[in-house]
Every structure is written in C-alpha cells, then in structure tokens.
Amino acid sequence: MKLSNRLTLKQRKVVAGYLFSLPFILGFTLFFIYPFIQAFIFSLSQLSLTREGFELSFSGLQNYYYAINVHGQFFRVYIETILNMFVNVPLVLAFSFFTAMILNQKFKGRFLARLIFFLPVIMGAGIIIQLEMTDMVNQLMHQARGAGFVFGGAGLRNVLMNAQLPEPLIEFVLNAVNRIPDIINASGIQILIFLAGLQSIPPSIYEAADVEGASRWESFWLITLPLLSPIIITNAVYTIIDTFVTPSNELVMLIRSVRLDGNHGVSMAMSVLYFLVIILILILVLKIANRWVFYQE
Amino acid sequence: MNNTNINKRTADIEVEAFRPIEKQVEEVLEKINQEKDHNLSSRINKRIRSVIVSLLRAIFVIGVAYIILQPLFQKIATSFMAEIDLFDPTVEWIPRNFTLDNFRVVWEHMNYPKAFLNTFTLTITVSILQLVSCTLVAYGIGRFHFKGANIIFGLVLFTLVVPPQMIMTPLSLNFRYFNLFGLIPEQNLLGSYWPFVLTSSTAVGLRNGLFIYILRQFFRGMPKDLEEAAYLDGAGIFKTFRTIMLPGAVPGLVVIFLFAFVWQWNDFFFNTIFLSGQGNFLLQALQGVALRALNHDHNLLTTPYASLIQNTGMLLYIAPLLILYAFLQKYFIESIQRTGIVG
C-alpha cells in the first residue's frame, strides 16, 4: 500500500506543499542563512586566508569603528546613498505609475511604446551604466561640439541663468533634469508591475462610477489609487531594494573595492551597516504604508 | 342652457387642468433643447480635451522613448565610425568614414564565438534551473495551505531584502572550500558552473525571491474549478500540477524565463566572484577588450579609440538579448495584458 493512498487529500496537499518548497528550504539553509550568519561573524573578526582555508580572530567592533571613523569615504557615501534614496524612490514610483497609466490607455502605437519602455529591463541598466562610466565617446563628441546634451548641460543652465533664477534653484532643477535618464532606466520593472495591477482592476467598477456621475479625476482618486495601494507598496519596497543593490550604486562599489583590497572584515562590517539601514527604512515604509493601504478583502 | 353651462365649465376646468401640463411640457422641451446645446458644447469640449490629452501623451511617450533609445542608437551609429569621425564635429549620426573594422577588432579580441557560447550555455542552464525551482516553490507556497507556507514566503521576501554584497564573501569562501558541512571531501568550486547550478536549482540565485513572489501571485490568481475537477477525476497532485496548472501558467513562465535569462546575462556580481580569473565569458572578455585591442593594434594609447572599441563590444554584448527580446516581445507584452501578473 502506497503512503499516498493512506493519507487524505488534505494531508497529501500539506506533504506536497513541503515537497514543492523543498528546493528553497535547502537553498535557503545552505546558501543563504548560513553565509548570512557568517557575514555577521566575519564583520566582528579579522579574516586571514591561509593555505588550508581561512582563519578568524575575534576583534570586536574594530571593523565597525574602522569603517565609520577611519575610512575616509565610507561614512559620507553611506549618508549620501541614503539621502539619495529618499529622492530617487518617490521619483521612480511617480514616474512608473504615471507611465503605466499612460501605457494602459488605448492609443495608436501602444504596442511599440510598451516595447520601447521595457527595453531598459532587457538592456540591464546596471551593467550599461557601469560600462558607460568608462565610455568616453559620448563625452568627447559632445565636448567637440561645444554643445550640451539635450537635457541638462550648458544649454539648460544658460536658459535658467538668463531667467534670473537664484543659484540653488538652478542647481536643483539641473540636478532633477540630470536624473531623468536614470529614473527612466530604473523604472522598467515597476512599470510592468503597475501595468499588470491596473489591468487587474475590473472595468465594471469604472463603468459603475461613470453611471454614478464620477469624473475621471474622481475615479482615479477613489478607485485606481486605493485598489492599487498594495501594489504601490510592493513597488516601493522593490524600488528601495533595487536602488540599494544595483552594482552602479556608489556604496556598493565602495564595499566591493574594499573587499577586493582584501579587507574582508571591514567590507563585511560595511555591508552589515548597509543591511541594517535598509531593514530600518523598509520597516518604516511598511509601518507608514499600513495606515493607508486598502485591502480588497 | 344648463347643459352648455356645464359643458363650458367642464371645458374651463379641463383647460385649467391642462394648462400646467402644457407648461410642464414646454419646460421639459426647453430643458431638452438646453441639454442639446449643452451636449453639443460638451462634445466639442470633449473633442478638444481628447486632442490635447493625446497630444500630451504623444509628447511624453516620444520623449521617454527618445531618452531610452538615444544611447542605443548613438552606440550603433558610432560603432560604424572610423576613429577620425569622433573628432569631426559635423558627424553626428551618420558616419563619414563607414567601417566594419571595429566589429572585426572586437570580434577577434573578445574571442566572441567562444565567449558567446560559454556565456550562453551558462545563462541558459541557470535560467532554466531557476525557472524550474522557482515555479515549484511558488506553486508549493501559493497553492497549498499548510502551516509553513507563510513562513517560507516570509523567508523568500527576506532573501529579497538582504543585499547580495553581504553574503558574497562568506558564500564565495564556502564554495572555495566546499565540503557541505563536512559531508563530502573538500573541493574548490570557484571557476566552475557549480556555484551557479547549486544556487539556481535551490531557488536562491540572483533575484529568485522576486521570481517566486511574482509566480506565487500568478498561481494564486488561477481559478480553482479546474484544479478541483482534476482532483475529483482522480488525478494526483503532481499530475494536476503538470497537466492543468502548468500549461495555464505559461505566460507567467515566459516572463520569468526572460527575466532570469536577462539578469543572468547582465549579472556583474555573481559572475565576477564565482568565475574570477576566467576570461572565456562575455563579461570578462568585454572588460578587457579595449586594452587588448590597444596593445595589439595601436601603438598609441588613445582614449577615444579605446572607448570606441568598448562601445562596439557593449553592442555585441547586448545584441543577443535584443534578439531574444525581439522573439519573445509579443509573448511578453501580451502576457502582461492578458493575465496581470499581480493578482
């Protein structure tokens, strides 16, 4: 008699649930939580490579002290990265939400527009940016012409200067404008997720609202936004993590270079500090979000 | 007389009774007329508004498309230019000295066919393994109600939140001195496919948390009836999964496969750590191509030439992805349209 025959369907489903999840349970234990705990231990130790393996000697908070107080750049980049996130994430969210609303409308060339808008996902913004920094063709060509890029650059600066705007405002506008390509390139997945969310809202709700005399503006605030609020949170969390983790992130590059220099303990301490601030921000975001997220059930 | 009087009176009464109705009808007619006018003007208003809306939309869409496509087209254009064109201010898009030389140089110095084959083999292996493992896990926690399901889902989200930088050093050391907690003789897995195979088949590869998350939503959104009918017909859990649920999930699977493939192909992180010192992959080939080309072909170290080569190399690097996207785009975009990944 087979085991499966003796169990009820419900019991078999429980067993199947665990069996299906088994790959992840294994992977999580072996290749995730174990190195994760090791990372904390490494951050509190001096790590030295020997012929048979590696040796650890406990050194307390020394690595952390070094990272924050002694290392010249870490603390500054750390703060900058966090502040940068507070600017970038709302911009990415707003842009991708708006774009998804547009791509959800019916218009000529919509298919082509979607095709192009998801291109950054395919081209991999990370590696492109990474290599772009070493790419001087564009810079050189633009220097040769003495003209700025269409966005930012000297052209816009001159226009703003001529408008007699105060210097800090000009800097702010230029800064925002310079971010545009980055924002667009970082928004691919978010647009996708928002678009899928928009399409999951049944049209009958909008029709009912229309019959009741609601304007489009009202149905956006009263239907679209509340129904999408869980997805906005999902996207916010995803965006926060994504901006923290991309290889083009300045702090990530810094930690990488410290690691390549052989200061494993220090780079681990930096990663732990980084991880802690990510967790803190995510908890904060979820706490705030829980107040106004609308769940259908 | 009496009769006529009565008649007259009734007629008066009738007239009196009817007067308000006439008035009412008049009022209604007036209203209808007014509304007609109003409708007409509002229709014109709507027309104007929709023209303005589609105009603004067109500006937005074209503007964003320009920002996305401009660097790509710029790269394509420059890759056909001779070095001299870079210094020519009159050359913008169309090369004056058209040449395929850059491609030839890059092709040779990247050892392109070999590097491509290696990268392709690794990427296809990894993405298929990730697709299989993530689908299984997502189905397990999305479709079966058991106590651990929520905990496992929580752990999946946790893997998303931890930056890979953090576990990278310990993980690479574990693979360097791999013995599975002393269960097998120690060996060095770095520089082989094994670290990729192991992490991918156990659903902890690059962004696998996201894949599980998306697929879980996908499976949860699928209708219950078919599944229950299959169970009633006596089909087992695995048979139901394979013959009923899996075919229904194909659009979602295509999206995940594309993601897995693209991210593995573009991955900088796992690649440089697990394959350190191996030059036969596209990424490593790309990193050194400019330098190699300079040492070989040019006696003078010129940065413009170096970046010209780098640029062309990058095009060749992403070309396979663009081709893959071109093949799968219809599927990809339709699958978003039809099913809505997020349930």
Side-chain angles (χ1 to χ4, degrees):
Chain A
M1 207 149 142
K2 271 167 67 185
L3 176 73
S4 58
N5 290 345
R6 270 189 271 135
L7 301 171
T8 63
L9 182 64
K10 214 175 174 188
Q11 285 169 320
R12 273 193 289 152
K13 276 187 171 175
V14 173
V15 175
Y18 279 110
L19 274 182
F20 272 102
S21 321
L22 193 63
F24 178 77
I25 297 172
L26 274 178
F28 185 79
T29 343
L30 290 176
F31 307 122
F32 199 87
I33 203 68
Y34 178 57
F36 181 77
I37 294 165
Q38 276 181 311
F40 278 98
I41 300 170
F42 283 12
S43 75
L44 296 170
S45 329
Q46 268 341 65
L47 182 129
S48 50
L49 296 170
T50 60
R51 195 171 292 176
E52 308 86 61
F54 54 90
E55 259 172 24
L56 294 172
S57 54
F58 184 74
S59 64
L61 290 172
Q62 203 185 313
N63 289 327
Y64 289 92
Y65 179 81
Y66 182 88
I68 294 172
N69 284 331
V70 182
H71 193 277
Q73 289 177 335
F74 175 76
F75 195 67
R76 183 182 57 81
V77 175
Y78 184 69
I79 299 296
E80 271 177 15
T81 307
I82 295 164
L83 291 180
N84 226 346
M85 187 227 68
F86 278 107
V87 181
N88 269 354
V89 170
L91 284 178
V92 167
L93 282 180
F95 173 77
S96 50
F97 192 93
F98 183 70
T99 309
M101 296 272 296
I102 290 210
L103 290 182
N104 197 33
Q105 293 169 357
K106 282 202 173 77
F107 60 91
K108 258 187 202 165
R110 181 173 76 163
F111 190 84
L112 189 68
R114 287 184 177 179
L115 197 68
I116 295 170
F117 278 48
F118 296 136
L119 211 53
V121 180
I122 305 303
M123 291 196 293
I127 189 162
I128 298 286
I129 294 164
Q130 188 108 25
L131 291 166
E132 199 92 326
M133 284 185 286
T134 59
D135 178 27
M136 272 171 289
V137 173
N138 291 324
Q139 288 175 24
L140 206 90
M141 288 181 81
H142 290 121
Q143 265 170 22
R145 287 190 197 100
F149 185 47
V150 186
F151 301 97
L156 185 61
R157 178 180 287 272
N158 285 340
V159 171
L160 293 174
M161 295 277 248
N162 288 340
Q164 307 267 322
L165 293 171
E167 187 72 24
L169 189 68
I170 295 177
E171 286 305 318
F172 177 79
V173 171
L174 285 179
N175 223 330
V177 168
N178 281 334
R179 278 175 205 266
I180 291 176
D182 292 341
I183 299 289
I184 291 175
N185 280 322
S187 299
I189 299 282
Q190 289 86 335
I191 296 174
L192 197 96
I193 294 175
F194 273 138
L195 196 54
L198 282 172
Q199 266 152 9
S200 70
I201 300 176
S204 56
I205 298 184
Y206 289 109
E207 279 155 23
D210 201 37
V211 169
E212 297 286 329
S215 69
R216 285 175 116 191
W217 183 247
E218 281 165 335
S219 52
F220 171 78
W221 285 102
L222 298 174
I223 298 172
T224 315
L225 215 54
L227 283 183
L228 279 193
S229 58
I231 291 170
I232 296 176
I233 299 311
T234 308
N235 253 344
V237 170
Y238 175 76
T239 312
I240 292 170
I241 296 164
D242 198 48
T243 48
F244 274 138
V245 171
T246 62
S248 58
N249 182 321
E250 211 183 330
L251 191 56
V252 170
M253 286 195 280
L254 184 95
I255 295 175
R256 196 175 111 83
S257 74
V258 171
R259 200 179 63 79
L260 289 180
D261 287 343
N263 291 330
H264 293 286
V266 176
S267 84
M268 287 285 90
M270 289 174 174
S271 322
V272 170
L273 286 173
Y274 198 27
F275 166 73
L276 290 179
V277 85
I278 297 177
I279 289 289
L280 205 73
I281 291 173
L282 285 178
I283 289 174
L284 213 76
V285 167
L286 290 177
K287 268 261 158 69
I288 297 169
N290 259 346
R291 283 209 194 141
W292 62 273
V293 167
F294 170 86
Y295 290 104
Q296 249 171 308
E297 285 105 283
Chain B
M1 167 132 190
N2 224 355
N3 228 349
T4 52
N5 248 348
I6 289 167
N7 268 349
K8 209 181 170 190
R9 270 172 73 185
T10 47
D12 276 355
I13 291 167
E14 269 171 9
V15 166
E16 252 164 49
F18 275 111
R19 199 168 277 155
I21 289 180
E22 259 172 27
K23 242 185 192 172
Q24 272 178 12
V25 169
E26 241 167 59
E27 272 166 20
V28 167
L29 277 177
E30 211 168 295
K31 248 189 192 170
I32 289 174
N33 268 338
Q34 268 178 359
E35 229 159 73
K36 249 189 195 164
D37 281 355
H38 181 72
N39 261 356
L40 196 69
S41 70
S42 84
R43 226 183 291 157
I44 293 172
N45 258 337
K46 257 187 185 165
R47 255 258 171 86
I48 293 172
R49 242 165 75 187
S50 84
V51 167
I52 292 174
V53 164
S54 47
L55 201 72
L56 288 177
R57 184 172 55 207
I59 292 172
F60 175 77
V61 169
I62 292 170
V64 174
Y66 175 81
I67 293 174
I68 293 170
L69 291 176
Q70 193 266 349
L72 184 65
F73 286 163
Q74 185 79 66
K75 275 189 184 48
I76 295 174
T78 31
S79 68
F80 290 109
M81 290 179 191
E83 193 184 343
I84 236 183
D85 284 0
L86 297 183
F87 298 100
D88 189 343
T90 58
V91 176
E92 176 126 29
W93 288 97
I94 302 151
R96 180 155 297 166
N97 301 292
F98 182 87
T99 175
L100 290 172
D101 235 31
N102 301 321
F103 284 102
R104 188 186 54 76
V105 169
V106 168
W107 187 274
E108 277 169 21
H109 286 282
M110 276 176 86
N111 204 350
Y112 195 81
K114 196 163 176 252
F116 171 81
L117 207 68
N118 282 337
T119 307
F120 186 78
T121 317
L122 175 66
T123 308
I124 199 96
T125 313
V126 164
S127 40
I128 287 175
L129 283 176
Q130 290 185 352
L131 182 65
V132 171
S133 61
C134 291
T135 308
L136 289 177
V137 175
Y139 189 75
I141 58 176
R143 211 63 202 187
F144 301 116
H145 300 286
F146 60 102
K147 259 188 194 161
N150 280 332
I151 300 171
I152 295 173
F153 184 54
L155 296 180
V156 168
L157 295 183
F158 182 66
T159 63
L160 259 182
V161 176
V162 174
Q165 288 81 9
M166 193 173 160
I167 61 163
M168 221 58 251
T169 305
L171 194 58
S172 72
L173 282 173
N174 289 347
F175 282 125
R176 171 68 186 78
Y177 307 103
F178 191 73
N179 60 5
L180 212 61
F181 301 118
L183 290 174
I184 54 168
E186 188 177 289
Q187 42 203 306
N188 180 6
L189 297 183
L190 290 186
S192 72
Y193 283 8
W194 279 108
F196 293 100
V197 171
L198 288 173
T199 49
S200 305
S201 55
T202 54
V204 284
L206 198 66
R207 303 215 205 194
N208 282 6
L210 181 70
F211 301 162
I212 297 175
Y213 179 87
I214 292 177
L215 285 172
R216 173 183 169 269
Q217 301 291 89
F218 201 93
F219 280 125
R220 282 174 74 122
M222 284 173 76
K224 252 195 148 138
D225 326 0
L226 270 178
E227 191 192 9
E228 270 164 13
Y231 286 141
L232 281 181
D233 279 352
I237 284 170
F238 291 94
K239 199 181 174 198
T240 310
F241 169 66
R242 205 159 37 82
T243 56
I244 309 278
M245 302 304 277
L246 217 47
V250 165
L253 299 182
V254 170
V255 175
I256 298 303
F257 174 75
L258 189 70
F259 280 172
F261 192 91
V262 162
W263 271 322
Q264 178 55 40
W265 190 275
N266 284 333
D267 169 48
F268 192 73
F269 215 79
F270 280 58
N271 265 334
T272 44
I273 286 166
F274 291 162
L275 292 172
S276 55
Q278 304 283 311
N280 315 338
F281 290 86
L282 275 184
L283 186 70
Q284 284 83 348
L286 179 62
Q287 280 175 312
V289 66
L291 207 64
R292 278 200 298 282
L294 279 176
N295 287 339
H296 197 262
D297 301 334
H298 265 234
N299 294 323
L300 274 169
L301 247 154
T302 67
T303 31
Y305 184 69
S307 58
L308 187 58
I309 292 298
Q310 187 86 37
N311 187 55
T312 312
M314 200 134 82
L315 266 186
L316 281 179
Y317 183 85
I318 58 171
L321 293 180
L322 295 179
I323 293 167
L324 181 77
Y325 187 48
F327 273 111
L328 291 184
Q329 32 92 2
K330 213 168 174 196
Y331 225 143
F332 183 67
I333 290 170
E334 266 175 15
S335 75
I336 304 160
Q337 231 159 310
R338 241 185 311 143
T339 39
I341 315 176
V342 186

